[in-house]
Amino acid sequence: MSAEDKIQDSSAPLIEHLAELRTRLIRSVMAFVVGMVAMFTIAEPILEFISQPLAEVLRARGEDARLIFTAPQEKFFVLIRISIVMGFAVSFPVIAHQLWRFVAPGLYKSEQGAILPFLIASPVLFLIGASFAHYIVTPLAMNFFIGFSDAIPALANLIAGDGTFQNPDAAADTGIQTVFLGSIRESLDLALKFIFAFGLCFQLPVLLTLLGKAGLVTAAGLGAVRKWAVVGILTLAALVTPPDVVTQLILFTAVYGLYEISILLVRLVERSRIRRMRAEGILDEDEEL
């Protein structure tokens, strides 16, 4: 081990580590509280932005783009929830920095250089996954769910009638007409579920590449369990998304693509490790790990 690759911090009493941990936690909590209060002031525009895919689907159907709340306190708590989620998002850089400042002194410089890029890549990938969910998945899911209310009556008319299509609105005077009145709370919950599901699933390359750097997984091993990975991804898609095939297939396609990308990244990590070990004389030129 070179002189440069030493732990930066000398041994310190436990009480000092606890005191530093308390300081880091206090700063993180303060950053979160400030972010939450700041986001509450613009929670209404954020709610409009999150609800935009649903609004576009309703406008395309010729309906009013509006959401209702059925309890006096419902919208207030929806805005509180938005401020909590967005407050954590905007304060995450400060929280991550405080966590890094606490952990980094106990790491070797080589370990710091290996972990730091992943701390940067993780929020970027989460943002990409969240954007994918908001702009692609949520409009498709909303259109599927709301349009489902028209598909069943139309199919019933074809089966029970003379085989000609009848607009369900045209028969409103002969039966019960169902109309979508979106709840602000439930619509937000569904949109946030998509955002978090895809944002977390897009962390797969970061997770597997870190495991590859630690030597816990290999590219050959990941390739060998590919069929089990397919089953696991399908199960994950069924658990974290609403029960519609379209959304589940989209999530499966995206996560499986990330799995294949992860195999390539782990293979690059292995090649880099082999080159380094050969340069240090640990491996011969024709020797593999």
Side-chain angles (χ1 to χ4, degrees):
M1 185 181 300
S2 63
E4 296 180 354
D5 197 21
K6 292 182 178 179
I7 296 178
Q8 293 183 358
D9 194 17
S10 59
S11 59
L14 177 62
I15 191 66
E16 292 185 11
H17 290 297
L18 293 177
E20 183 180 1
L21 177 61
R22 181 189 62 182
T23 301
R24 302 299 179 190
L25 289 176
I26 291 175
R27 292 177 180 176
S28 299
V29 171
M30 290 178 60
F32 169 70
V33 172
V34 171
M36 183 179 67
V37 173
M39 290 298 101
F40 184 77
T41 61
I42 57 173
E44 188 77 31
I46 295 175
L47 175 61
E48 294 180 3
F49 174 77
I50 296 176
S51 304
Q52 192 62 32
L54 175 59
E56 292 178 356
V57 170
L58 293 176
R59 293 191 187 100
R61 292 168 52 86
E63 301 178 10
D64 292 335
R66 63 176 64 183
L67 296 175
I68 66 171
F69 55 95
T70 57
Q73 74 280 7
E74 183 176 348
K75 184 175 181 181
F76 174 76
F77 284 109
V78 164
L79 298 180
I80 290 292
R81 186 178 306 176
I82 290 176
S83 65
I84 292 175
V85 173
M86 297 305 299
F88 178 78
V90 298
S91 62
F92 178 78
V94 178
I95 296 174
H97 176 71
Q98 295 300 320
L99 177 63
W100 175 253
R101 290 290 300 273
F102 179 75
V103 174
L107 299 176
Y108 296 108
K109 284 190 175 181
S110 60
E111 294 174 335
Q112 295 180 13
I115 294 177
L116 189 58
F118 293 98
L119 292 179
I120 299 175
S122 181
V124 173
L125 287 175
F126 185 90
L127 182 60
I128 294 174
S131 300
F132 182 79
H134 179 76
Y135 290 106
I136 297 178
V137 178
T138 302
L140 291 175
M142 295 296 184
N143 193 38
F144 172 83
F145 287 136
I146 299 176
F148 186 79
S149 62
D150 294 339
I152 295 301
L155 182 61
N157 290 333
L158 287 174
I159 296 176
D162 56 359
T164 60
F165 175 77
Q166 182 180 7
N167 191 330
D169 293 336
D173 56 346
T174 62
I176 298 176
Q177 182 182 11
T178 58
V179 179
F180 172 74
L181 297 176
S183 167
I184 187 172
R185 178 179 58 83
E186 294 178 357
S187 300
L188 176 68
D189 287 345
L190 184 59
L192 290 180
K193 183 180 293 185
F194 284 134
I195 289 174
F196 278 105
F198 280 83
L200 293 177
C201 288
F202 270 58
Q203 302 298 309
L204 186 62
V206 173
L207 175 62
L208 293 182
T209 307
L210 274 176
L211 293 177
K213 273 187 168 292
L216 299 178
V217 298
T218 62
L222 292 175
V225 299
R226 185 179 279 109
K227 59 182 180 180
W228 298 108
V230 170
V231 175
I233 295 171
L234 284 173
T235 304
L236 176 67
L239 291 176
V240 302
T241 59
D244 69 289
V245 179
V246 176
T247 308
Q248 293 173 0
L249 287 178
I250 293 175
L251 181 59
F252 168 77
T253 303
V255 176
Y256 181 74
L258 293 172
Y259 184 81
E260 293 294 337
I261 293 174
S262 301
I263 294 178
L264 297 177
L265 293 175
V266 173
R267 185 174 289 116
L268 293 176
V269 168
E270 292 175 349
R271 291 175 181 175
S272 176
R273 185 187 299 124
I274 291 174
R275 287 195 299 267
R276 177 176 56 82
M277 296 178 71
R278 286 175 178 173
E280 295 176 356
I282 300 176
L283 292 178
D284 296 332
E285 289 298 326
D286 57 346
E287 188 178 359
E288 298 290 340
L289 288 176

